[in-house]
Amino acid sequence: MEKQSLLSLFSSNPDKYYKVSLFDDKGFKRQNCKLCGKYFWSIKDKESCPEHENYSFIGDPPTQKRLDFVKAWKELSGFFKKNNHEIIQRYPVVCRWREDLYFTIASIVDFQRVMNGKIVFEIPKNPLVVPQMCLRFNDIENVGLTGRHYTSFCMIGQTCNADATGGYWKDKCIELDHSLLKDVFGIKSDEITFVEDVWMGAGAFGYSLEYYVRGLELGNAVFTEFEGDQYNYRTLDNKIIDMGAGLERLSWITLGTPTSYDATFGPVIRKLADKFGIDIDSKSELLSQYFRRFSEMHTHYQDDVILLKTNIAKELGLTFERLEKTILPFETLSIIADHSRTLMFAISDGCLPSNVGGGYNLRIVLRRTLALLARFGWNIDLAEVTDMHIEQLESMYPELKEHKNDVRTIIQIESDRYSSSKERMYQIANSMIKSKKSPSTDDLIRMYESDGITPDFLLESGVIEKIPPDFYVKLSELHTSHDSKQILDIEPVTGVEPTRLLYYENESIREFDAKVLKVLKDKYLILYKTAFYPRGGGQEPDFGSIEDIRITDVLKQNNIVLHKMQTSPKDLFVENKVVHGIIDNTRRRSITKNHSATHILNSAARNNLGSWVWQNSAFKDEHYARLDITHHSALTKEQIKKIEKTANEVVQKNLPILINIHERSDAESRYTFRIYQGGAVPSNNVRIVNIDGWDVEACGGTHVNKTGEIGLIKILKTERIQDGVVRLEFVSGNNALQYIQSQDSQLHNIAQSLGSSREKVGESFGKMIAENELMKRKLRSLVNKFSDNMASIVAQKATKTGVGIKIYGTYDDQVGDDYYIALGEKSTCVDPFLVFVALVQDHDRIRVIVFAGEESRKILKASRIAKEISLKLGGTGGGGTDKFAQGGGRDKNKVQDCLTNLESLITSILETSEKNG
Ligand SMILES: [Zn+2]
Ligand SMILES: [Zn+2]
């Protein structure tokens, strides 16, 4: 649907759609912009719409009151409260309730849930106002430059369901917004302009009025009245008002500062400027002139900021360099203030900087901030800046204080990680440039996963010319959970009633009777009802039998459960026949315990590590379970112990696990978005698994009644599987007991072979190590002494050859190579004309050890001899120096031959080298 044609549709009937009672009351006239053709309403006669005006409020605010960011909120919320609006707390900036968004990008997102690909609205109070922090990263390069772009901003949401109790429609909405500007902020009515526009969302649309004061858009009131599209639509049963206004702008218009950053981050920017010795006050007139011009000219210059700045400098009678020198520090301070506030909110709400998903954006803003601080030589701990934000916003967002230390911890870890990785990243990039090898997509993925080197960095460093188009696709495939990739060898089942799920009605059912509904491909059995749990939510399916046919897999497709049969029983399952199902109880109990244990461990990890810990994914099978959590570093032994201890304390407390169905909005407000550990739930009703007083999650799996039933939770292994994700592998219940028993019997066996007991095994092992060391020392001195004596005997026994050197060869399968290395070294010292060759049996291989004395090596190098003998023994050659070389082969039958013919071997080596040389 074209936005433009929709706009003409509404604009063709302005009285019906845009005209509100306020316009008649106050004398707002509808006018047409001579420049862009848009329609707008204002009291004064105007040639053009406010989009073409400059920000004339800079240096000259149109209000009596001067309101900073927090004060502006206090005044605004007081006004709406007086007018019967409920003021609700902000929602998290990390959008856990929608799978399609990482971050909350607008206030209305708070109240949107996705069901069957369609957006539905859930408005908890009617009407309401929310100071919603929103994160957007698409304008990152404009932050600081334009005076008004942000990566995080506060969108005031004035929201209501027009058709529910307490609701109102456009007349009242515009009347309130006008009154807010006029009576609260003291802006005269003839300063306000309303511009006609439209809004389109997923399956719904409406018309809107944007309101401007002196060129600055302050808010946009959207009236979502229709569903469908432009050609085929109907009026919604519940019409929605979604008025969004930027609090940063409302504060800015009252202060008239050069940029909106001065209004928003006032105290933070001032503290930073003082610390870095930047003089703000004396520059304020120049900054005001500059940003006034910038606001007017910005749109004409698209992305060419340099040209724009050059032209403004000319107008102000300055050189570009001179202007830039004044502006740049302010731009940079603003970027630092913006980025650090974004990090503060995102980390507070549980998102970690990483290389994946939304974490990627956080790492970018964090690294950009650190790079800017370094470039300007501004020495400050980034966590100090986030503390400044918390202090400023404390009265508006008291929850920030709770996570102050978490934010500090994460910022510190990430900053350290950046400085240590920076050097390594440059090294890797440089060596890649030198080697001139171009990395494959798989190489890039490996570098990204293991070293955190982004392809953007390699692009910037000139290692690659472009990012391979399949990079992000491959990367995301790598991170897709197994759940969503369940492949069925049948077409989607349609026209069948949803299966009644007995395991939800009574978890303890292990045997049941049910009527056959259908058999697909002789393989999948569909019943009217079932107690078999199908694979889902990371929980593996039940096994068992139906009428003595083994069930080897159970799947759920839409709302239909498919039982996969091991054999194809011709004619056994006819429609409507009652059949008997039996579920493998041991398996179900094991999986169930593992599932409850997952929830317990998840909270145990969060309590011990920090509020950023969320379930990333989980897998629960009969003998094995794993939980992947979001955490910044690999776990230490101490942390693993603590988590295990906490989890087992929860088991021992024998807490009841309560399962209830809640309305989604009720579940969210009662238990917060923490319930979405396994992702958002696309239904009106949410099944809440509540481990009383410990953990609450939305979950569709099977659970024990009381935590004590789990018996024991044992963590087997933990591993940092990717940037920001740590895997915990564990067992619970009988499996945990079995694991400990098997560890114990292994220990018993070790103790026995040490001739010790389990209690003393540590002590005995220590003793054995010490004894072993002593033996080694003794052996070494024995080898030394013995080889001293043997050296002269070897020299005597050696055979003279016709080429002026002596040779000695020996074979041994008893004494190790240490002895022969010592003997070779010493005997070639005794007789410098000697060539010493020892062939030593080493398991299934024969090692070749060759020494050549000082004189003999002038004729023939040890390395050459080792190589030839190795080849004869079926090896691939040897290596070493002129004096000492080693090699080897596996052909034991050639040993005798090598030793007997040592002289002719040496002669032939000499002959070939003479020929060649
Ligand atoms: Zn216009
Ligand atoms: Zn669960």
Side-chain angles (χ1 to χ4, degrees):
M1 185 162 39
E2 284 275 315
K3 194 179 165 182
Q4 202 49 50
S5 64
L6 197 59
L7 184 59
S8 1
L9 176 83
F10 290 133
S11 286
S12 64
N13 200 345
D15 285 351
K16 185 171 176 196
Y17 295 117
Y18 290 110
K19 189 170 170 184
V20 289
S21 51
L22 178 99
F23 293 170
D24 279 341
D25 295 349
K26 301 280 172 189
F28 279 83
K29 297 177 293 253
R30 189 169 192 251
Q31 308 182 49
N32 190 227
C33 176
K34 301 275 181 300
L35 296 172
C36 69
K38 272 193 178 175
Y39 289 96
F40 61 92
W41 300 72
S42 68
I43 294 175
K44 283 187 207 159
D45 289 326
K46 293 169 115 180
E47 289 279 293
S48 60
C49 78
E51 273 179 41
H52 319 286
E53 280 175 46
N54 75 4
Y55 291 173
S56 57
F57 65 92
I58 295 179
D60 175 26
T63 62
Q64 286 99 45
K65 288 185 192 159
R66 301 284 173 266
L67 302 170
D68 67 19
F69 186 75
V70 176
K71 275 193 203 136
W73 164 245
K74 299 266 149 141
E75 294 277 335
L76 181 145
S77 56
F79 168 80
F80 278 109
K81 204 170 175 179
K82 211 171 66 199
N83 284 285
N84 303 318
H85 287 64
E86 191 85 29
I87 310 298
I88 66 164
Q89 280 194 330
R90 73 171 176 99
Y91 282 39
V93 297
V94 185
C95 190
R96 309 270 179 193
W97 56 96
R98 280 190 44 185
E99 301 285 358
D100 56 334
L101 292 174
Y102 289 124
F103 298 112
T104 309
I105 53 166
S107 57
I108 194 69
V109 169
D110 294 357
F111 318 117
Q112 292 173 334
R113 301 294 176 274
V114 179
M115 277 170 76
N116 306 321
K118 217 177 104 180
I119 285 182
V120 295
F121 291 92
E122 281 178 8
I123 297 168
K125 305 283 178 194
N126 207 35
L128 64 77
V129 164
V130 61
Q132 183 56 43
M133 285 308 301
C134 301
L135 264 53
R136 290 186 194 175
F137 295 94
N138 49 342
D139 271 328
I140 190 165
E141 70 280 355
N142 277 326
V143 176
L145 280 184
T146 61
R148 60 188 168 86
H149 282 95
Y150 290 86
T151 55
S152 61
F153 59 96
C154 175
M155 188 187 278
I156 301 296
Q158 171 197 356
T159 311
C160 88
N161 178 342
D163 300 299
T165 321
Y168 52 78
W169 196 231
K170 54 190 173 186
D171 286 344
K172 175 90 180 281
C173 177
I174 296 299
E175 185 198 311
L176 284 167
D177 296 338
H178 172 263
S179 171
L180 173 74
L181 298 183
K182 185 172 150 289
D183 305 325
V184 178
F185 292 93
I187 299 168
K188 289 198 195 107
S189 299
D190 62 5
E191 294 262 20
I192 306 167
T193 307
F194 292 90
V195 179
E196 297 179 4
D197 205 352
V198 291
W199 177 86
M200 293 178 296
F205 63 93
Y207 40 90
S208 69
L209 285 168
E210 297 168 331
Y211 49 94
Y212 286 76
V213 173
R214 298 203 187 171
L216 184 67
E217 184 193 341
L218 292 175
N220 185 13
V222 175
F223 307 106
T224 309
E225 184 170 349
F226 305 105
E227 67 178 346
D229 62 42
Q230 173 186 5
Y231 309 103
N232 183 17
Y233 57 87
R234 57 174 218 95
T235 304
L236 282 162
D237 294 334
N238 290 289
K239 300 193 291 291
I240 304 292
I241 286 187
D242 162 30
M243 195 293 293
L247 185 60
E248 287 81 3
R249 292 171 174 221
L250 290 170
S251 166
W252 188 17
I253 199 117
T254 75
L255 293 176
T257 47
T259 70
S260 95
Y261 313 121
D262 305 300
T264 306
F265 306 125
V268 176
I269 288 192
R270 192 154 283 278
K271 274 185 208 161
L272 291 177
D274 285 349
K275 203 172 163 78
F276 305 147
I278 300 162
D279 171 17
I280 300 185
D281 299 321
S282 72
K283 306 278 164 44
S284 102
E285 183 46 41
L286 176 66
L287 288 169
S288 289
Q289 286 176 350
Y290 169 77
F291 279 106
R292 241 183 342 243
R293 282 307 280 148
F294 192 98
S295 68
E296 194 178 3
M297 295 163 72
H298 180 47
T299 47
H300 305 297
Y301 285 83
Q302 305 294 338
D303 292 329
D304 199 345
V305 179
I306 305 274
L307 183 64
L308 171 58
K309 282 185 170 177
T310 311
N311 286 337
I312 298 178
K314 240 182 258 168
E315 284 183 24
L316 298 174
L318 298 168
T319 62
F320 171 78
E321 288 73 22
R322 185 64 214 289
L323 178 73
E324 188 70 349
K325 223 184 142 204
T326 312
I327 303 290
L328 200 57
F330 292 99
E331 287 176 351
T332 311
L333 280 182
S334 306
I335 296 173
I336 289 167
D338 168 81
H339 287 11
S340 55
R341 186 172 78 161
T342 298
L343 286 164
M344 188 267 295
F345 273 107
I347 297 169
S348 280
D349 290 354
C351 191
L352 287 177
S354 74
N355 286 335
V356 287
Y360 183 78
N361 294 306
L362 297 189
R363 182 163 280 170
I364 284 178
V365 296
L366 184 127
R367 296 195 164 187
R368 189 172 183 225
T369 311
L370 293 173
L372 284 171
L373 286 171
R375 199 202 301 165
F376 283 80
W378 291 340
N379 195 8
I380 193 168
D381 191 346
L382 193 50
E384 257 184 72
V385 189
T386 53
D387 280 357
M388 290 176 195
H389 285 299
I390 294 174
E391 200 183 314
Q392 186 203 348
L393 299 173
E394 216 185 302
S395 63
M396 189 170 164
Y397 299 121
E399 73 279 6
L400 293 175
K401 226 178 160 184
E402 273 169 51
H403 299 299
K404 187 171 163 172
N405 287 332
D406 290 344
V407 174
R408 275 194 154 260
T409 308
I410 299 301
I411 297 253
Q412 202 52 54
I413 288 169
E414 269 297 307
S415 305
D416 292 348
R417 190 166 282 164
Y418 177 58
S419 32
S420 66
S421 77
K422 211 163 48 174
E423 215 152 286
R424 205 180 61 238
M425 280 161 69
Y426 280 110
Q427 272 170 9
I428 293 175
N430 278 337
S431 75
M432 290 187 78
I433 291 170
K434 268 187 207 139
S435 73
K436 290 197 175 115
K437 259 194 258 166
S438 57
S440 67
T441 306
D442 289 335
D443 291 337
L444 291 177
I445 286 177
R446 200 174 30 71
M447 291 167 77
Y448 184 85
E449 299 270 280
S450 59
D451 295 302
I453 299 177
T454 61
D456 305 78
F457 171 79
L458 294 172
L459 190 71
E460 235 174 76
S461 322
V463 176
I464 53 176
E465 276 176 16
K466 62 174 194 189
I467 298 169
D470 56 346
F471 177 80
Y472 288 104
V473 178
K474 277 196 172 178
L475 196 67
S476 70
E477 273 172 11
L478 212 60
H479 294 173
T480 310
S481 68
H482 297 287
D483 254 17
S484 55
K485 272 203 284 194
Q486 203 174 88
I487 296 159
L488 279 184
D489 52 358
I490 49 167
E491 295 292 304
V493 190
T494 48
V496 176
E497 253 179 75
T499 314
R500 193 175 135 199
L501 309 172
L502 298 173
Y503 54 88
Y504 280 155
E505 296 172 19
N506 180 357
E507 199 278 324
S508 62
I509 296 174
R510 295 293 182 269
E511 293 196 30
F512 65 99
D513 290 321
K515 270 190 196 166
V516 173
L517 205 156
K518 212 172 189 174
V519 179
L520 299 170
K521 285 196 159 182
D522 278 343
K523 209 194 270 170
Y524 295 102
L525 176 64
I526 304 174
L527 305 173
Y528 280 95
K529 57 183 181 179
T530 187
F532 278 86
Y533 183 89
R535 177 180 291 109
Q539 179 171 339
E540 286 294 279
D542 283 332
F543 294 165
S545 60
I546 297 174
E547 297 290 292
D548 289 335
I549 301 291
R550 285 287 300 157
I551 300 302
T552 55
D553 200 358
V554 186
L555 319 155
K556 199 166 155 192
Q557 214 193 48
N558 299 321
N559 288 312
I560 300 143
V561 176
L562 308 171
H563 307 79
K564 188 176 182 183
M565 299 176 285
Q566 194 173 35
T567 47
S568 308
K570 287 268 176 275
D571 309 324
L572 178 59
F573 296 119
V574 287
E575 209 181 314
N576 283 325
K577 179 184 172 178
V578 176
V579 294
H580 189 65
I582 303 172
I583 286 156
D584 178 342
N585 180 49
T586 316
R587 179 177 165 86
R588 162 71 80 79
R589 281 297 284 169
S590 254
I591 294 177
T592 300
K593 285 176 188 175
N594 278 341
H595 198 149
S596 299
T598 310
H599 289 217
I600 293 173
L601 270 175
N602 191 25
S603 276
R606 184 164 58 248
N607 281 320
N608 279 290
L609 301 174
S611 63
W612 53 79
V613 170
W614 282 73
Q615 174 181 307
N616 189 64
S617 71
F619 179 78
K620 286 84 67 168
D621 204 351
E622 186 178 353
H623 301 292
Y624 168 85
R626 64 166 186 259
L627 166 69
D628 293 351
I629 54 167
T630 52
H631 183 59
H632 47 73
S633 309
L635 300 186
T636 63
K637 279 212 179 72
E638 212 39 54
Q639 287 170 327
I640 298 167
K641 257 191 181 168
K642 276 189 184 162
I643 293 169
E644 197 175 76
K645 185 163 178 270
T646 312
N648 281 294
E649 279 164 8
V650 174
V651 171
Q652 286 150 18
K653 278 186 192 153
N654 203 21
L655 302 175
I657 299 185
L658 313 165
I659 299 179
N660 284 301
I661 306 291
H662 289 260
E663 230 176 78
R664 182 171 47 208
S665 54
D666 172 50
E668 288 173 356
S669 64
R670 199 188 289 228
Y671 301 116
T672 79
F673 295 102
R674 282 261 173 232
I675 58 173
Y676 295 137
Q677 295 289 331
V681 177
S683 78
N684 282 326
N685 294 314
V686 183
R687 187 172 182 262
I688 291 292
V689 175
N690 181 0
I691 303 178
D692 202 18
W694 181 247
D695 180 271
V696 185
E697 293 181 28
C699 171
T702 59
H703 287 274
V704 298
N705 294 314
K706 285 185 140 194
T707 58
E709 291 170 43
I710 297 167
L712 182 68
I713 299 172
K714 181 82 195 98
I715 298 173
L716 308 182
K717 189 182 157 202
T718 73
E719 189 188 357
R720 187 165 180 245
I721 54 165
Q722 75 184 53
D723 194 15
V725 180
V726 173
R727 170 165 296 172
L728 288 83
E729 298 182 351
F730 64 95
V731 279
S732 71
N734 270 334
N735 285 312
L737 183 64
Q738 267 167 27
Y739 173 79
I740 288 170
Q741 282 174 342
S742 102
Q743 295 278 306
D744 190 60
S745 72
Q746 276 183 40
L747 190 64
H748 179 78
N749 292 341
I750 293 170
Q752 223 167 23
S753 51
L754 286 173
S756 174
S757 64
R758 263 186 308 225
E759 294 72 30
K760 290 187 176 159
V761 68
E763 200 181 307
S764 308
F765 189 69
K767 238 189 238 166
M768 198 190 75
I769 299 270
E771 272 169 23
N772 196 16
E773 283 303 313
L774 187 67
M775 295 283 277
K776 272 191 197 156
R777 268 207 305 280
K778 281 185 179 169
L779 189 65
R780 267 199 299 274
S781 71
L782 202 62
V783 161
N784 238 337
K785 281 203 178 120
F786 194 60
S787 53
D788 273 346
N789 294 333
M790 283 302 289
S792 43
I793 297 174
V794 164
Q796 278 167 27
K797 278 192 172 175
T799 319
K800 277 196 180 122
T801 66
V803 291
I805 58 173
K806 287 165 88 187
I807 48 172
Y808 177 88
T810 185
Y811 166 76
D812 197 318
D813 60 359
Q814 302 283 320
V815 188
D817 48 356
D818 286 354
Y819 169 65
Y820 287 99
I821 290 172
L823 184 58
E825 168 116 49
K826 282 171 184 164
S827 54
T828 50
C829 276
V830 171
D831 187 342
F833 288 94
L834 180 67
V835 169
F836 173 93
V837 175
L839 305 180
V840 181
Q841 184 79 36
D842 180 7
H843 297 99
D844 59 342
R845 199 166 167 267
I846 297 137
R847 289 188 61 177
V848 179
I849 294 163
V850 181
F851 276 90
E854 207 174 337
E855 294 299 326
S856 60
R857 79 179 82 122
K858 287 177 185 164
I859 302 167
L860 197 53
K861 292 173 174 130
S863 54
R864 184 70 206 278
I865 304 170
K867 186 181 163 195
E868 290 301 328
I869 297 176
S870 297
L871 291 175
K872 278 212 176 339
L873 292 171
T876 52
T881 63
D882 296 2
K883 179 188 168 189
F884 168 49
Q886 298 190 80
R890 286 175 202 280
D891 196 349
K892 211 181 156 184
N893 297 324
K894 296 279 164 64
V895 169
Q896 213 37 56
D897 183 45
C898 277
L899 291 175
T900 341
N901 300 315
L902 214 49
E903 185 173 351
S904 60
L905 177 91
I906 284 172
T907 324
S908 77
I909 295 174
L910 285 174
E911 277 168 7
T912 42
S913 39
E914 263 163 35
K915 251 185 252 162
N916 297 338

